[in-house]
Amino acid sequence: MLFYPKLTLGTMLFSATLLASPFATHAAETKQIARSSKLGIELYGIGGTQWCKTDAELQLSRTDDSPLVGTEETLFPKIAKVFASECPQMETANIVVHNSSGAMTREFRISKQAGWSMPISAPELTKPSSAETASPAIVAQSNTPTNTTDRAQAQAQAQAPVPVPAPAPAPAPAPANTTTITATTKAETASDTPPAVQNGHPATSAEVSPSTPEIQPVKEEAVPLTTDKVLRLAARFYPEALNDDLVIDQLATLGGCDRYNKLKNNEFALRDWRKEVKPDVLHQVESAPELFEFTFKFRVNRKYDFDTSMLDIGSFIPRTQQYEQGCHWNRGFEQNAIGGRVHVNFEGLPDTFNNKIYLPDELGRSAINRLEATNNEVRVTYRVRIQNGGLETRWPKHYALRAEFIDVKIHTGKQFDYLLAHHDAAKFTAAREQHELALQRAEAEQKAREKELQRLQIARENEDAQSLYDRLSGEGTVPALLAALQHDGDTSFDNPYEIAANALAQGRKFPVRAFIQAGDRDSIGYRAQWPSRVYLTGAEIEEGEWYFVAGMADGQKIDNTLFSMITIDTMTKCNDRICMTDKDIISFVQARYPQWTGAKE
């Protein structure tokens, strides 16, 4: 059973006080952890949704007539369950106390090890004023009767000594009216089981003991996922946007554009209107809810598997939805800080989450009958918590929100009153974990495949590198290969006789690359010692030296013998037929195959 806070007169009066006090200014930078109208206190965690830390900063705001004035530290052992639920990793906390006017009156530290009591000789920043020391809590110590029995009992509870360290206390007799501390939880809890019976077992005496302050989760109502609420929530997540007048205009006209249309062309009227509407806009942004509910209707293609008792109705996880302002004529809204539109992305579940429902025996028969009576139509109601997604600057610019599923109910029947399935937060959590594990396994398998392919690729490249090294440095190495490497890194070279034959036949010259040992010079040029029937011209070279040359070749017959006439453009001199050392060859191979570690012996 969901617990709703009791709206007593004390609660209503305290709430009214909040509207006129600094307490109502906490929402933007703090998160409310607990409150009590009888004790006149509200407890906030500094840092908003990120308040929970090992060493936390807390702010206790109280009314001037709170029975805890001057003894605020006695509150915290009583709300240990709140800390255990909201922030189990918290070990210590710094407490700053504010009165109803917002002024800081005390500062002290508490620790989990001490049972959330204040350590001995804890420093206080400011002692309570004389007016505060004359509060009902102090008057109670001097045996002065209070106006009501409730106040006396609340004072007695506030003044109760707290053991340090605080083990689990034995149950004590309950006062006539037990103080109720309402805790604002991180995630809404829902159960159809009375608090005295959980999971089919009676609650322990500690859970139902009347001496323990009753901690009731606040029922956070889900609201429809409408454009106005979504845009205001986006502005709350991105408060910098509120510095833009266009954003104020946009949020102020969500309910209608008539008045804005009448004054938008008058600068002074527009300025006065903005001053008028801005406080209300900021209040609506600050109080924008995060819990939403929305409903879809689907016509499903059902199929019942008798072997597994599973009813397959298909998947219908909602996709991204876009929300825009109503005043479409104002093109300037599209350029404002939240882009004039907000995208809500539904994520965190596998697409097949709603596919199959376990409905054995008569449950399956009843479900099929209800579906058949409604032409297989179902109504799916989702509850989601909206989280910050950030500003997307790509065109069109927009603000993104992420919707985290809390639960879903699937109904069918003529009045949609037959509950076909209910997936709660626990099931969603399990589905997310399974989906995440599946993604992790798929990623690990992909990485393993990529690693194996990389290993095979490296092995092939190492083989190619070794083969190149062997060709360049082995006993049967062709000197021209080495010469070509030294010349320009290209191991290709030409047969000068083929070039000469083609040149003679076609009557024109062709480019040629050749490895040649220069011979004596005569009237034609340098006749090569190797290979024979080659002449070199166009450059001064040394007789008897080895060269790798590149140039243009022509064919010429001398005494009916074909000679290759090469005009040198560039050349590289080699030493004793070898243009590169073994170290040079290794460097060349590694330049082409960086992963190659060197020649194998």
Side-chain angles (χ1 to χ4, degrees), residues 432-450:
R432 290 189 187 98
E433 291 175 352
Q434 292 176 4
H435 183 55
E436 184 63 27
L437 288 175
L439 292 178
Q440 291 175 0
R441 286 195 297 268
E443 183 179 1
E445 292 173 357
Q446 178 65 23
K447 287 183 178 179
R449 287 193 296 269
E450 292 176 354

Side-chain angles (χ1 to χ4, degrees), residues 15 153 228 280 383 436 489:
S15 299
Q153 291 170 346
D228 56 342
D280 186 53
R383 280 195 313 141
E436 184 63 27

